[in-house]
C-alpha cells in the first residue's frame, strides 16, 4: 500500500540499549523528518533529510542518529536509550522543504525506556 | 527564538455548537506560514487548515476557519457545527523561512459532548 509506514508501533526497551525505529515511504518524497511528541511540548523536530545521504539536525538531535541510504527509508537510532527518550516518535515526508507543501505523517511509534 | 503557545490544554464543546481554539506565536519574521493539525486517538496527524502570513484573508475549510491577526500574532481556529469526530488533539504550528524553524504548539485536547 502506498503511504508512510513506521515500525514498530510499540516498543519497550531498557536504559542503555540501542533501538532503531523504522520509517518507509512509497511516494519518493525528497524530504523526510523525525519528530518526537511529548505532553506539553507538542511535536519537536529531531532530524530531517533533504535527499538520500543528506541529513541535518532539528531542534532536539542529541542522543539520536539517522541515516538515509535510500530515498524511501529514514531510520532513527537511539544509540544508548535513556528514560528521557520515552516518547511517541513520528516520521513524516513531503515533496519539498517547506511545511506548506503538506507533511504526510506515519502512525507513530510509542517508545518506552525503562 | 520563535515560540508557539496554546493556552488551553483542554476544551469541550457541545455537539453542533461552535468552539474556538487559541494560538499565539512570537516571531520577528514577516513571511511565514501557520497551520492547524488535528490528531485523533488513532495518532494520525491530519492537516486541517493553513494560512500564509502575507494573505490578509482568513483561510476557511468547510466547518473550519481561522482568525488570523498578524499584528497581534494570534491564529485561532473556529470549528462550527461541532461533530463527534472533531474530538482530538489540535496543534498549532508555525513555519519560518528555514525548515528547522518549524515549531508546534503544545496542543489543545478537544472533547465533543453529545
Amino acid at each position: 500500500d502506498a503511504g508512510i509506514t513506521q515500525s514498530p508501533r510499540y516498543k519497550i526497551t531498557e536504559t542503555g540499549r540501542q533501538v532503531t525505529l523504522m520509517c518507509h515511504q512509497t511516494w519518493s518524497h525528497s524530504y523526510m523528518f523525525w519528530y518526537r511528541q511529548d505532553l506539553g511540548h507538542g511535536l519537536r523536530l529531531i532530524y530531517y533529510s533533504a535527499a538520500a545521504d543528506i541529513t541535518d539536525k532539528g531542534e532536539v538531535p542529541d542522543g539520536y542518529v539517522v541515516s538515509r541510504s535510500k530515498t524511501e527509508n529514514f531510520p532513527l537510532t537511539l544509540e544508548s536509550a535513556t528514560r528521557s527518550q520515552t516518547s511517541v516518535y513520528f516520521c513524516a515526508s513531503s515533496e519539498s522543504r517547506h511545511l506548506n507543501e503538506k507533511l504526510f505523517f506515519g502512525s507513530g511509534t510509542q517508545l518506552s525506556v525503562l | 527564538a520563535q515560540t508557539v503557545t496554546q493556552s488551553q490544554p483542554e476544551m469541550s464543546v457541545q455537539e453542533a455548537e461552535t468552539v474556538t481554539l487559541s494560538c499565539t506565536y512570537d516571531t520577528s519574521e514577516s513571511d511565514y506560514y501557520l497551520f492547524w493539525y488535528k490528531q485523533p486517538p488513532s495518532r494520525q496527524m491530519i492537516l486541517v487548515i493553513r494560512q500564509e502570513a502575507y494573505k490578509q484573508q482568513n483561510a476557511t475549510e468547510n466547518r473550519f476557519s481561522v482568525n488570523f491577526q498578524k499584528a497581534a500574532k494570534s491564529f485561532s481556529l473556529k470549528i462550527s457545527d461541532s461533530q463527534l469526530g472533531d474530538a482530538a488533539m489540535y496543534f498549532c504550528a508555525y513555519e519560518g523561512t528555514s525548515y528547522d524553524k518549524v515549531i508546534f504548539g503544545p496542543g489543545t485536547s478537544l472533547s465533543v459532548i453529545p
Side-chain angles (χ1 to χ4, degrees):
Chain A
D1 289 343
I4 184 165
T5 56
Q6 291 183 238
S7 61
R9 187 161 174 83
Y10 301 94
K11 176 72 176 178
I12 299 173
T13 191
E14 295 178 342
T15 301
R17 290 192 180 270
Q18 183 178 78
V19 178
T20 296
L21 309 184
M22 304 302 293
C23 179
H24 175 79
Q25 54 106 352
T26 60
W27 290 298
S28 298
H29 284 167
S30 297
Y31 289 84
M32 296 188 75
F33 312 89
W34 274 106
Y35 289 90
R36 59 177 289 172
Q37 181 181 3
D38 303 289
L39 194 64
H41 290 279
L43 277 76
R44 292 179 290 177
L45 183 65
I46 305 171
Y47 269 96
Y48 67 98
S49 169
D53 298 321
I54 301 174
T55 63
D56 208 348
K57 296 179 180 179
E59 182 185 356
V60 288
D62 293 343
Y64 303 96
V65 175
V66 293
S67 62
R68 188 126 180 249
S69 57
K70 293 183 178 180
T71 300
E72 61 267 29
N73 296 323
F74 190 40
L76 175 74
T77 298
L78 289 67
E79 293 189 304
S80 178
T82 65
R83 288 179 180 165
S84 65
Q85 292 177 310
T86 292
S87 186
V88 179
Y89 291 85
F90 285 94
C91 179
S93 71
S94 75
E95 284 280 348
S96 73
R97 179 184 174 95
H98 296 291
L99 195 60
N100 63 304
E101 291 294 328
K102 186 173 180 180
L103 279 172
F104 293 84
F105 283 87
S107 299
T109 294
Q110 184 171 326
L111 176 67
S112 297
V113 183
L114 305 179
Chain B
Q2 290 87 356
T3 59
V4 176
T5 302
Q6 293 178 251
S7 59
Q8 306 148 318
E10 298 178 348
M11 290 196 71
S12 61
V13 61
Q14 291 280 350
E15 194 175 3
E17 296 296 311
T18 296
V19 65
T20 299
L21 308 183
S22 301
C23 173
T24 58
Y25 57 95
D26 187 27
T27 184
S28 58
E29 296 176 315
S30 59
D31 187 20
Y32 50 87
Y33 294 87
L34 296 164
F35 306 82
W36 279 98
Y37 271 89
K38 170 185 177 182
Q39 185 183 44
S42 67
R43 286 205 313 237
Q44 268 296 342
M45 293 289 286
I46 303 165
L47 177 64
V48 174
I49 199 164
R50 58 187 164 198
Q51 174 84 41
E52 294 90 338
Y54 65 87
K55 289 188 177 180
Q56 293 185 344
Q57 186 175 3
N58 289 325
T60 299
E61 290 286 342
N62 300 314
R63 298 183 294 108
F64 299 87
S65 61
V66 298
N67 183 6
F68 173 48
Q69 302 289 329
K70 191 173 183 179
K73 297 179 182 175
S74 171
F75 183 61
S76 60
L77 175 70
K78 186 171 81 171
I79 305 173
S80 304
D81 185 26
S82 296
Q83 301 175 359
L84 296 177
D86 294 333
M89 182 74 81
Y90 287 83
F91 293 98
C92 178
Y94 165 99
E95 183 200 10
T97 54
S98 62
Y99 200 90
D100 61 0
K101 291 181 181 176
V102 172
I103 301 168
F104 284 81
T108 296
S109 179
L110 177 67
S111 301
V112 180
I113 302 167

